[in-house]
Amino acid sequence: LDITWFTESMSLGKPVKVEPRHCLGVSDSSVSRDKATQEIPAYGCQRRTPLHHHNKEITDALEILALSASFQGSEARFLGFTRASSVLKSLPFRLQSVEEVKDLPWCGGHSQTVIQEILEDGVCREVETVKNSEHFQSMKALTSIFGVGIRTADKWYRDGVRSLSDLNNLGGKLTAEQKAGLLHYTDLQQSVTREEAGTVEQLIKGALQSFVPDVRVTMTGGFRRGKQEGHDVDFLITHPDEEALNGLLRKAVAWLDGKGSVLYYHVRARSQNFSGSNTMDGHETCYSIIALPNVCPEKPSPDAEKIEPDLDKNSLRNWKAVRVDLVVCPYSEYFYALLGWTGSKHFERELRRFSLHVKKMSLNSHGLFDIQKNATTLLHRRRRYLHILDSHMCRPPRETP
Ligand code: DCT
Ligand code: MG
């Protein structure tokens, strides 16, 4: 996200002086390595975090340790490794020595050990041990199923489930979402390409526009950030006339279902008791699996063959199951929802942390709230600056992971 936009929106129109250090992260030979490392800002939302950067071996290793920490229920260690990885992604050069990270925010002792081993030996022993551990491998496989979070996967692991084929024994204990996740497991493991996302967009727009012709539909998530592939396709739906949005999501999904394009869906109603200081998103949301036409499915993995009995029958099909999330928001909250659903998850987390600790404001997908004024919404000021936000948010997608 462009820092000018960011500082402008966070101060609601009062431009904040943007120091050159805020623009670090872009390769610039004139910036000395020492100076660059000393001036990296602490919050992820203040840095450029390019998709393609200079220290991929190290950030991949740190992200494996972050994932492992989350599987073990350690939020603090997860955040520590995630933040260290995010900082290294913003470095405008390839690290040559662990000394270079000593002044960087979030790159403490444990991360430094990982960095040093990778720089010296090419691998980190702890990371290799984690990757080969049964717990890590099982949790990774189980949480890759749609509808299975860390808590469920951990319970299953403690009940003796180790691989996807073990899930056949759980039978009736699975939720409808998990059953759908298993039924379409092979397809959902494959990345959705940008081209496929474009086809999904046409399908979704066609359904929504058949009820409200001028409905505004925006692709969000990773594709809006310029990624070439993702695990799903996310859309934000709005209209200036909020009446037009009433019941639209359910009608459009039922319309697609009638055409045989919906494999699974669950609509979460808009939260009526949404609180301004809440970090949760209370918008009406549809979590779905769509049958994307004219795509040949890839060959299933041996593990998937054991849990998807119909795969043989399905091998002649010419459609691919794709995860699609649809979010409906009131027009007055559109830009906040757009910001919240563009991601990345880490960027959003850092943006909310920055808002709270530095600006004393609470930011979520519904608005920006002044916590010192007892969570009074800044709606009146928000309308004034909608046009500023609009012009800045309609830029070409930026490149962040
Ligand atoms: N999001 C968030 N916090 C979460 C989950 C999601 O802020 N816990 C936001 C940020 C990204 C956006 O919602 C869409 O979520 P995903 O589809 O999970 O992420 P993505 O960046 O689109 O990743 P992918 O390309 O793999 O779909
Ligand atoms: Mg996504």
Side-chain angles (χ1 to χ4, degrees):
L1 192 71
D2 185 285
I3 192 69
T4 319
W5 178 89
F6 172 61
T7 47
E8 205 158 17
S9 65
M10 292 306 292
S11 60
L12 290 166
K14 283 183 235 146
V16 171
K17 188 167 180 286
V18 179
E19 301 295 338
R21 67 193 180 91
H22 286 137
C23 302
L24 282 175
V26 186
S27 198
D28 179 356
S29 56
S30 67
V31 179
S32 82
R33 297 167 79 93
D34 278 356
K35 196 165 184 314
T37 50
Q38 280 162 17
E39 294 182 344
I40 296 276
Y43 289 91
C45 54
Q46 295 172 294
R47 309 183 290 257
R48 279 185 189 276
T49 311
L51 202 52
H52 304 290
H53 58 89
H54 304 275
N55 294 288
K56 187 163 170 11
E57 299 89 344
I58 295 172
T59 57
D60 283 353
L62 291 168
E63 281 169 18
I64 285 173
L65 295 182
L67 191 59
S68 168
S70 74
F71 290 161
Q72 286 159 0
S74 174
E75 177 78 357
R77 285 179 58 238
F78 164 77
L79 278 176
F81 288 125
T82 306
R83 285 185 184 137
S85 166
S86 165
V87 167
L88 298 189
K89 285 178 185 172
S90 71
L91 284 184
F93 55 80
R94 192 174 168 83
L95 283 171
Q96 286 172 356
S97 148
V98 71
E99 297 300 317
E100 291 172 321
V101 307
K102 294 255 154 79
D103 291 328
L104 292 180
W106 305 111
C107 294
H110 199 152
S111 296
Q112 286 179 21
T113 308
V114 177
I115 294 166
Q116 184 161 14
E117 280 190 34
I118 293 182
L119 289 177
E120 288 174 3
D121 307 331
V123 285
C124 167
R125 278 177 293 281
E126 185 186 359
V127 173
E128 294 309 301
T129 308
V130 163
K131 276 201 290 195
N132 293 324
S133 82
E134 189 182 50
H135 182 257
F136 182 80
Q137 288 181 0
S138 302
M139 289 292 287
K140 201 161 176 230
L142 297 175
T143 53
S144 70
I145 304 167
F146 172 52
V148 182
I150 290 175
R151 229 176 306 166
T152 305
D154 187 55
K155 185 184 174 306
W156 287 350
Y157 184 82
R158 282 187 277 113
D159 289 345
V161 177
R162 294 290 178 270
S163 63
L164 301 181
S165 42
D166 292 342
L167 288 172
N168 288 326
N169 306 332
L170 286 176
K173 290 187 194 157
L174 300 175
T175 64
E177 195 178 35
Q178 291 159 356
K179 282 181 188 158
L182 280 174
L183 194 60
H184 303 292
Y185 182 78
T186 307
D187 282 11
L188 298 186
Q189 289 311 295
Q190 292 163 28
S191 296
V192 185
T193 64
R194 178 164 279 280
E195 194 187 345
E196 287 167 353
T199 312
V200 175
E201 186 173 29
Q202 295 311 314
L203 203 66
I204 297 297
K205 276 189 174 164
L208 290 161
Q209 286 169 352
S210 68
F211 296 97
V212 179
D214 56 347
V215 64
R216 186 163 175 176
V217 183
T218 312
M219 198 188 293
T220 57
F223 288 112
R224 185 159 192 272
R225 305 198 304 278
K227 280 175 70 176
Q228 291 305 309
E229 51 183 42
H231 93 283
D232 68 357
V233 198
D234 309 286
F235 293 97
L236 185 61
I237 299 154
T238 196
H239 193 276
D241 173 9
E242 290 184 14
E243 281 294 303
L245 297 172
N246 274 344
L248 175 62
L249 193 53
R250 285 179 192 275
K251 280 189 281 187
V253 176
W255 187 87
L256 281 172
D257 201 12
K259 296 196 173 305
S261 298
V262 181
L263 302 168
Y264 167 85
Y265 78 95
H266 166 73
V267 176
R268 191 193 67 184
R270 182 179 178 180
S271 170
Q272 297 301 331
N273 300 322
F274 183 79
S275 133
S277 55
N278 200 331
T279 52
M280 294 297 290
D281 182 336
H283 296 304
E284 183 183 22
T285 305
C286 176
Y287 306 95
S288 69
I289 303 176
I290 299 288
L292 189 63
N294 305 322
V295 187
C296 288
E298 276 178 29
K299 196 175 163 4
S301 67
D303 210 10
E305 271 170 349
K306 287 186 212 149
I307 57 164
E308 285 186 72
D310 288 343
L311 270 176
D312 274 354
K313 219 188 322 173
N314 281 347
S315 61
L316 294 176
R317 66 193 160 97
N318 70 339
W319 53 266
K320 175 183 171 185
V322 172
R323 275 271 299 111
V324 176
D325 284 344
L326 305 169
V327 181
V328 177
C329 73
Y331 197 65
S332 58
E333 296 177 2
Y334 173 71
F335 297 100
Y336 294 95
L338 185 59
L339 178 58
W341 276 85
T342 297
S344 67
K345 289 185 194 85
H346 186 65
F347 176 88
E348 301 293 343
R349 191 193 295 262
E350 291 288 278
L351 193 52
R352 288 194 290 264
R353 205 165 61 87
F354 179 89
S355 309
L356 197 62
H357 295 294
V358 179
K359 296 288 177 180
K360 311 293 177 217
M361 287 180 178
S362 166
L363 177 71
N364 58 32
S365 290
H366 296 261
L368 186 62
F369 305 90
D370 189 334
I371 52 173
Q372 287 164 328
K373 288 183 190 161
N374 207 10
T376 309
T377 128
L378 299 176
L379 250 181
H380 60 294
R381 299 173 76 183
R382 199 159 66 194
R383 289 209 183 92
R384 255 176 71 199
Y385 292 104
L386 273 184
H387 68 283
I388 298 175
L389 293 169
D390 200 5
S391 61
H392 284 284
M393 291 307 278
C394 291
R395 293 172 173 197
R398 64 205 159 84
E399 267 206 335
T400 52

